Amino acid sequence: MHLDHHLESSAAVSADARRPDGTRRALRIGLGGPVGSGKTATVAALCRALREELSLAVVTNDIYTREDAEFLLREAVLPPERISAVETGACPHTAIRDDISANLEAVEDLEDEVGPLDLVLVESGGDNLTATFSRGLVDAQVFVIDVAGGDDIPRKGGPGVATADLLIVNKTDLAPYVGSDLARMAADAKAARGELPVILQSLRSEDGVREVADWVRERIAAWTA
Amino acid sequence: MTRAALLVLADGRFPAGGHAHSGGAEAAVRAGRITDAASLESFCRGRLHTSGVVAACVAAAAALGVDPGQLDRAADARTPSPALRVAARRLGRQLMRAARATWPSPELDALASRFPKGAHQPVVLGLAARAAGLGPLDAAYCSLYEGVSGPATAVVRLLGLDPFDATGVLARLSDDMDRVAQEAVETGERVVTDGVDVLPARSAPLLEIGAEAHAAWAVRLFAS
Ligand SMILES: Nc1nc2c(ncn2[C@@H]2O[C@H](COP(=O)(O)OP(=O)(O)O)[C@@H](O)[C@H]2O)c(=O)[nH]1
Ligand SMILES: [Mg+2]
């Protein structure tokens, strides 16, 4: 086996908006947040909502299995060649922030193999409240928390809650059962985030991802404008 | 030679993908071959004197300007496990990206267009060292140090080994690393005149076998 074949050009270095052949690369949106908050469920719902109108792909960052990728495959939200799993060596935040090379490679390989793409969703393996994506990897990031994780999380803030381009407070259907005060969560989030948007959603309800899908559409429109 | 550039390249935080790899330590931990600091030290010493020597010689030769295509094939021939070849090329590709961004150079650009999916990591390391204004000895040291610091860091995560003990292991390997780095430079110089066949072909069968088994696990913390 030898790989001496020549290509016209070589991969872009990092966040360049253009691919080596001069075309615009896909918009990349990262989804971070604690384990179990609903990142994979949101990715799945977004794929279902957007796959007819956009050329989509997903990169998952599983901590020690391929569960997320396998869930998306099982649910058949996208054809298998559009879903790629990155291994993160026990450090999910490193792979999305400090050393993004494996994720960049996954994104670029997807564009090469199934492109052209309009949108790549990059799901973090799930981490603590300080984990954010590097601007070298994604163009926008969504932080997903849920009402069952405690209604004081928006008040506690932290980089994810305070600075993400969109904060999703997920599983609002569970609020009555876990005694979470949605109004307070919304007010605390507003206080921590100023003008940055917050969406409360339940994926258990019909078309629960609609508002988030609209936010993604706006991002795409701005990216391609 | 700039000593500061060497620190940049050798830094474990240099963003070239190494954090996701255990250098065979995860398989060795599962097999019960690494259980504490002493067995970690034996593992690292074994690695240093087998696959570590080969990688350091390749890195030194690349830093001396030997053709990367020939070195890549020579590295392939010295890496029986397909899983390890895949890992070496993946790490090479990731290092290529980081090095091109850090020390832009026509040589690295040429390497990237010749090997868009990556050359063996030590080949890229040698060229990265050149681009950084470093020499073959620096490249050999980086290769050797990475080859033992990767497993040590991984074992801290896998076994909860005391991080001070793990660092002590690395310190105790210093003399061996000094010696092997010198040897690697001498070999690299011979490669320049006599070709890649003079590269050593030492290998550690358990590392190769362990890597194949590890690649098939459904649940693992590290990519290799
Ligand atoms: N009740 C409820 N459960 C949800 C909602 N969104 C996700 N879940 C469930 O929460 C669990 C964790 O979701 P997942 O997307 O895997 O979380 P991730 O770890 O952030 O990717 C799964 O069992 C989902 O079905 C929601 O809006 N309401
Ligand atoms: Mg998930």
Side-chain angles (χ1 to χ4, degrees):
Chain A
M1 164 173 91
H2 78 103
L3 304 172
D4 287 18
H5 54 96
H6 291 248
L7 283 195
E8 288 287 311
S9 52
S10 43
V13 166
S14 192
D16 316 5
R18 305 246 160 218
R19 310 187 61 223
D21 64 7
T23 56
R24 187 196 305 273
R25 65 163 171 77
L27 177 72
R28 305 178 198 145
I29 296 182
L31 290 97
V35 175
S37 63
K39 296 180 293 300
T40 305
T42 301
V43 166
L46 282 173
C47 289
R48 289 193 189 98
L50 298 169
R51 65 190 172 194
E52 304 299 329
E53 60 196 272
L54 297 173
S55 175
L56 283 173
V58 173
V59 177
T60 63
N61 281 249
D62 285 315
I63 310 181
Y64 46 80
T65 61
R66 293 175 40 85
E67 296 269 321
D68 284 352
E70 274 156 18
F71 175 83
L72 296 172
L73 289 170
R74 232 179 11 254
E75 295 284 303
V77 296
L78 288 179
E81 65 275 13
R82 289 176 178 261
I83 301 171
S84 175
V86 165
E87 288 177 289
T88 61
C91 252
H93 56 270
T94 305
I96 60 162
R97 186 185 58 205
D98 311 271
D99 186 347
I100 56 178
S101 44
N103 269 299
L104 282 173
E105 234 167 69
V107 170
E108 288 168 5
D109 284 351
L110 283 167
E111 287 206 84
D112 286 346
E113 285 152 27
V114 299
L117 296 171
D118 301 309
L119 174 65
V120 181
L121 298 173
V122 182
E123 181 188 339
S124 153
D127 212 310
N128 60 46
L129 296 174
T130 66
T132 51
F133 283 83
S134 161
R135 295 282 167 196
L137 175 61
V138 300
D139 304 296
Q141 50 193 310
V142 178
F143 202 73
V144 185
I145 58 174
D146 69 48
V147 303
D151 61 5
D152 53 351
I153 288 184
R155 187 180 46 76
K156 286 184 189 155
V161 166
T163 68
D165 299 291
L166 173 64
L167 177 69
I168 298 178
V169 180
N170 191 34
K171 308 191 192 179
T172 51
D173 55 300
L174 297 182
Y177 307 104
V178 296
S180 282
D181 180 343
L182 290 179
R184 191 180 128 207
M185 288 185 91
D188 288 346
K190 171 111 186 82
R193 294 172 53 78
E195 294 307 304
L196 291 168
V198 181
I199 294 175
L200 281 72
Q201 75 174 11
S202 165
L203 294 176
R204 289 285 183 264
S205 69
E206 183 73 20
D207 206 15
V209 82
R210 189 178 45 82
E211 271 187 88
V212 175
D214 285 341
W215 178 85
V216 171
R217 288 187 186 97
E218 280 168 29
R219 286 280 160 169
I220 291 274
W223 178 249
T224 49
Chain B
M1 311 274 125
T2 128
R3 198 173 282 185
L6 174 59
L7 294 177
V8 175
L9 183 58
D11 190 338
R13 286 164 294 191
F14 191 74
H19 71 95
H21 295 258
S22 77
E26 185 166 31
V29 164
R30 169 83 69 91
R33 288 193 286 275
I34 300 178
T35 54
D36 54 12
S39 45
L40 170 64
E41 185 169 337
S42 308
F43 176 88
C44 288
R45 205 178 297 279
R47 203 168 190 276
L48 188 68
H49 289 284
T50 53
S51 57
V53 181
V54 178
C57 291
V58 170
L64 285 164
V66 174
D67 174 59
Q70 286 189 21
L71 286 171
D72 188 65
R73 280 192 293 276
D76 246 358
R78 286 158 179 76
T79 313
S81 151
L84 283 183
R85 275 183 248 149
V86 167
R89 285 214 168 83
R90 182 167 299 155
L91 285 168
R93 182 178 176 190
Q94 294 177 5
L95 175 59
M96 194 160 71
R97 178 194 302 277
R100 288 175 75 202
T102 313
W103 297 287
S105 94
E107 257 182 14
L108 287 173
D109 289 346
L111 183 75
S113 41
R114 191 165 170 193
F115 295 94
K117 302 282 174 191
H120 275 258
Q121 195 268 4
V123 179
V124 184
L125 181 60
L127 285 172
R130 266 169 90 80
L134 297 167
L137 185 62
D138 301 315
Y141 266 115
C142 284
S143 176
L144 290 169
Y145 181 66
E146 216 169 62
V148 292
S149 62
T153 311
V155 170
V156 168
R157 294 188 199 160
L158 289 162
L159 286 180
L161 186 71
D162 183 333
F164 300 121
D165 290 342
T167 306
V169 166
L170 297 178
R172 284 194 294 281
L173 293 168
S174 302
D175 288 346
D176 283 45
M177 281 192 266
D178 287 337
R179 235 172 303 122
V180 175
Q182 285 298 339
E183 269 173 48
V185 173
E186 286 155 25
T187 304
E189 282 161 355
R190 266 193 295 128
V191 173
V192 174
T193 51
D194 301 341
V196 295
D197 287 350
V198 304
L199 286 166
R202 278 174 249 171
S203 83
L206 275 180
L207 277 180
E208 304 280 338
I209 295 165
E212 286 301 304
H214 182 269
W217 296 359
V219 178
R220 57 179 182 239
L221 241 43
F222 291 91
S224 81

